Amino acid sequence: MTELVEFPPGFRPDQLEGFRIGVTSDRRSADLIDALARRGAQVLHAPTLRMANAVSDDPVIADTRAVIEARPDVLLATTAYGVRRWFEVADAAGLGEDLIDALSETAILVRGPKARGGIRAAGLNDAGMSAQETTESLIDEVLATKPPGLTVAVQLHGFLNPSQLDRLREAHDRVLTVEPYRWTEPDETDERVDRLIEAACTGGLDCITFTSAPAVHALFAAAEVRGRHDDLVDAMCGPVVAAAVGPVTAAPLIAAGIVPIQPERFRMGALIRLVCEHLESARVLRLDTRHGPLELRGAVVDVDDRRVALAPVALMILRALVLARGSVVARERLTSALPGTNDEHALEVALSRLRQTIGVPGLIATVVKRGYRLDV
C-alpha cells in the first residue's frame, strides 16, 4: 500500500525548484535551509557572522553580580537566546536564585514574543513589549513612560548602536549591560562568503535571505574587502532579491539603496512563505513562442513539456532573450556580458550549446549582422 505524504497548507515540494537562494544566518540556519530545500531550492549557506559565546564567562558573571547588587528598576530583555544563556551562566555560577530575586520587582520590558518566552521560562513576568519589536523602540518606551533617574539594565544581543545606550544614560542615573553572547566573523579558511558574493554578482543566485542587521553589515564589509561592494549592491537592486526578516534587518539594505522584501510578521516562517510567493509571482519569466510556452524560473527552463537545467552563461543569454520578448538582442550586448571574454566566437559557442540544451529547433533565431531573438 502506497503511503500518503501530507504537506502543510500551501506547501509544494517544487515551489522553489530552479531557484538558487543564499542564506547568511548562523543560528537557526538549519531550519531555514531545510525549509527552502524541501521546497526545491538550491541553497548556498554562507554565514557572514557567527553567534559565539564568550571565551570566558567571567565578564557575564561580573555583570550579573552588578545587576544583582543594583536590583534595577527596569530591565530590557532583547532576545530569547540571550536571556536563556544569561540565566544558564548565572545558574552555573551559583547566582541563579539571586538573579531571579533581584529582578522580581523589576519592570521587565521585552523586545518581542521570543524574549517574552525566555523571561517567563525563567519564572519571571514581563511588563510589556516594544511596539515595533526593536531595541530602539524598547528604549523609546522607557524614555516615554518611566520617570528619569532610574537604574536600567539591558541584555545586549550582539549589536546595538552605542548611541542608543547614550540615550538611556542621558535620562537615567545608571545603565547596566549584560552581553551573554557576541557576533564573530567566520574563520579565514571558510570560503563560503566568497562563493556567495561571487554567485550573487555573476548571476548564480536569485535571492539572499537575511535574519539580522549585523549579517547585512558583515556581507557588505566582506564585499568591500574583495572589491565587489558596488557589484553586490547592483545585483541586489536587480536580479537578486534581498529578503529581510523585519525592518531592523532591512535598514542597512535600504540605506544602500536596496529595496528588500519583508514579511508583515517578523518571523522565520513568514519570511519563508514570502520568499516562495515572491519568487513564484515576480521572478518566473513566461513567454509564449511559436514553439509553445516557455517558462524561465531561476536556473531551469520549462519548454516543450520538459524542464532543463541551464549553466550560468546559457542562463544569462536566455534570460536576456526572454526579457526582450521577441525583440533582437544585439551580439555586442550579449558578448559584453560573457564572463572573462569579449570574444564573439565564445558567444557563438555558448549559443550553440544553449540551443542543444534546449532542444527546440528554431526557438532561438539568428538575425544576420544584428543579433539574436526568440521566435515568438
Side-chain angles (χ1 to χ4, degrees):
M1 182 177 179
T2 302
E3 182 181 357
L4 295 178
V5 179
E6 294 187 2
F7 296 111
F11 173 92
R12 293 199 328 272
D14 65 342
Q15 277 179 299
L16 297 177
E17 188 169 347
F19 289 110
R20 302 143 307 168
I21 301 177
V23 171
T24 60
S25 58
D26 177 30
R27 184 171 175 271
R28 292 193 65 198
S29 59
D31 295 338
L32 178 56
I33 292 168
D34 179 66
L36 297 173
R38 286 192 299 115
R39 289 162 172 80
Q42 298 177 40
V43 181
L44 174 57
H45 184 211
T48 54
L49 286 175
R50 293 187 178 278
M51 187 182 290
N53 296 336
V55 175
S56 169
D57 287 334
D58 290 347
V60 180
I61 294 171
D63 290 339
T64 301
R65 293 186 188 280
V67 169
I68 291 171
E69 180 181 355
R71 304 183 73 88
D73 302 294
V74 179
L75 168 66
L76 306 187
T78 60
T79 63
Y81 177 76
V83 170
R84 288 197 304 270
R85 171 155 169 75
W86 182 17
F87 280 89
E88 287 170 0
V89 172
D91 282 338
L95 300 173
E97 292 184 5
D98 291 340
L99 179 59
I100 291 174
D101 179 66
L103 298 176
S104 61
E105 301 298 325
T106 299
I108 302 175
L109 300 176
V110 297
R111 192 176 68 152
K114 293 180 181 179
R116 169 175 283 166
I119 287 296
R120 293 184 177 178
L124 297 167
N125 290 313
D126 65 274
M129 186 187 303
S130 66
Q132 300 173 355
E133 296 188 23
T134 66
T135 305
E136 289 80 357
S137 64
L138 267 184
I139 292 172
D140 291 341
E141 180 77 10
V142 172
L143 296 178
T145 63
K146 303 297 181 183
L150 303 179
T151 297
V152 180
V154 183
Q155 174 254 311
L156 299 176
H157 60 95
F159 176 83
L160 179 66
N161 191 313
S163 64
Q164 296 298 327
L165 292 178
D166 290 341
R167 295 172 62 205
L168 284 174
R169 294 187 179 105
E170 289 173 1
H172 296 287
D173 290 346
R174 191 177 183 190
V175 176
L176 305 170
T177 61
V178 180
E179 188 173 24
Y181 64 90
R182 56 192 175 85
W183 296 105
T184 63
E185 294 184 1
D187 187 275
E188 292 183 359
T189 61
D190 189 341
E191 298 179 349
R192 290 178 294 176
V193 173
D194 286 322
R195 291 198 293 268
L196 184 142
I197 292 170
E198 189 63 21
C201 295
T202 58
L205 284 181
D206 300 290
C207 178
I208 304 176
T209 63
F210 299 94
T211 57
S212 74
V216 180
H217 289 296
L219 182 61
F220 284 161
E224 185 76 46
V225 169
R226 293 156 180 80
R228 302 305 297 268
H229 178 271
D230 291 347
D231 294 336
L232 179 63
V233 171
D234 287 345
M236 287 197 284
C237 287
V240 181
V241 176
V245 75
V248 175
T249 301
L253 293 165
I254 294 171
I258 299 163
V259 181
I261 60 173
Q262 305 174 58
E264 292 183 3
R265 296 182 68 250
F266 315 144
R267 303 288 183 273
M268 184 83 76
L271 177 65
I272 293 165
R273 287 192 295 274
L274 179 61
V275 168
C276 291
E277 293 167 0
H278 183 82
L279 291 180
E280 281 195 303
S281 64
R283 294 304 171 111
V284 176
L285 302 179
R286 298 176 177 88
L287 184 66
D288 289 326
T289 76
R290 292 179 183 271
H291 306 267
L294 180 152
E295 183 175 283
L296 186 62
R297 47 184 300 123
V300 301
V301 59
D302 290 339
V303 62
D304 196 27
D305 295 324
R306 294 178 299 116
R307 175 162 287 181
V308 182
L310 299 176
V313 173
L315 175 62
M316 179 275 296
I317 295 172
L318 185 59
R319 180 180 292 275
L321 295 173
V322 172
L323 289 172
R325 309 193 72 79
S327 298
V328 177
V329 180
R331 295 172 61 90
E332 294 78 8
R333 177 183 165 193
L334 293 176
T335 302
S336 65
L338 292 177
T341 181
N342 289 322
D343 184 7
E344 288 196 3
H345 176 67
L347 174 61
E348 292 171 359
V349 171
L351 272 160
S352 176
R353 290 174 178 169
L354 174 58
R355 284 168 167 148
Q356 292 175 8
T357 299
I358 293 176
V360 182
L363 177 62
I364 301 177
T366 300
V367 182
V368 179
K369 295 184 179 180
R370 293 182 60 195
Y372 303 89
R373 59 182 289 273
L374 292 179
D375 187 19
V376 298

